[in-house]
Structures are given as structure tokens and as C-alpha cells.
């Protein structure tokens, strides 16, 4: 049942499973055979990593560093940014620019 029902198969990246506390991470297609679902971080593990990071870096200016960069999600999130978020953002910029150029052509405001 779990392997067939769509609500079990489709999850948002980085959401937390309500029973296990495991974080849903994107899987790279070329590495799917190496994926171990029990190796993904849990919410308590991430909280501990943040606490440990803060304790060991309390005197440094880390205001620009995101919390995910301080945890074991760092590499997973960077890969997600590179393969999904950055291309999507680039496409959105291209689309907006095209719309703005079309509107400028109609109104004569170049």
C-alpha cells in the first residue's frame, strides 16, 4: 500500500516525516542505487548539529550563513540548489525579461 499510494510517493523536498522525524531529501537519479533512506538526517539530529555548530563558533560573525549550511543537509541542499532552484530561477528571470520587453514594445518605453 505504501509503495502504490501517491501521497506516500510524492513528498516535498526537506519536509519532515511526522513519525520518524527523517528529512525528505532529493535523490540524484544517477545515485539512486547508493541511496540509503536510513542515512538521511532526522530533525533531532539537525537540531543537535546546529547546537554543536553554535557552541563551537560562538565568537565568529556568522550572520550571513544559513542554518542549513551548518548541518549535514549542506551538500544535499547545495545539489538541490544547483540542479533545481538555480535553473528554475534563471528560467523565471528569462520569462520576466521577455514579458517586460514585449510590454515595452507595445508601450514604446524602451
Amino acid at each position: 500500500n505504501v509503495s502504490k499510494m501517491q501521497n506516500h510517493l510524492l513528498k516535498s523536498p526537506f519536509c519532515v516525516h511526522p513519525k520518524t522525524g527523517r528529512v525528505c531529501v532529493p535523490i540524484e537519479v544517477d545515485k539512486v542505487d547508493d541511496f540509503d533512506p536510513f542515512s538521511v538526517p532526522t530533525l533531532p539530529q539537525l537540531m543537535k548539529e546546529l547546537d554543536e555548530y553554535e557552541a563551537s563558533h560562538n565568537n565568529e560573525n556568522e550572520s550571513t550563513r544559513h542554518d542549513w549550511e551548518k548541518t549535514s543537509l549542506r551538500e544535499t541542499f547545495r545539489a538541490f540548489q544547483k540542479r533545481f532552484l538555480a535553473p528554475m530561477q534563471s528560467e523565471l528571470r528569462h520569462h520576466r525579461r521577455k514579458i517586460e520587453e514585449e510590454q515595452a514594445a507595445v508601450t514604446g518605453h524602451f
Side-chain angles (χ1 to χ4, degrees), residues 5-90:
M5 305 244 344
Q6 193 173 35
N7 65 324
H8 289 286
L9 297 175
L10 301 176
K11 299 289 182 197
S12 296
F14 308 105
C15 69
V16 178
H17 190 278
K19 291 183 182 175
T20 65
R22 293 194 186 281
V23 178
C24 179
V25 296
I27 302 171
E28 295 185 45
V29 175
D30 57 339
K31 297 179 181 177
V32 71
D33 291 333
D34 299 327
F35 178 69
D36 176 10
F38 297 106
S39 69
V40 299
T42 62
L43 195 54
Q45 176 186 342
L46 294 173
M47 292 169 59
K48 181 180 178 192
E49 291 173 4
L50 282 172
D51 289 343
E52 289 172 352
Y53 184 93
E54 296 299 327
S56 65
H57 294 83
N58 61 358
N59 293 331
E60 296 177 22
N61 183 6
E62 296 282 331
S63 61
T64 59
R65 194 165 198 174
H66 300 284
D67 283 345
W68 59 264
E69 295 177 289
K70 303 171 188 174
T71 70
S72 56
L73 283 178
R74 179 178 50 253
E75 294 307 316
T76 303
F77 193 80
R78 284 184 179 153
F80 182 69
Q81 280 184 312
K82 181 180 178 182
R83 289 177 177 77
F84 181 75
L85 295 179
M88 184 173 64
Q89 187 175 27
S90 176

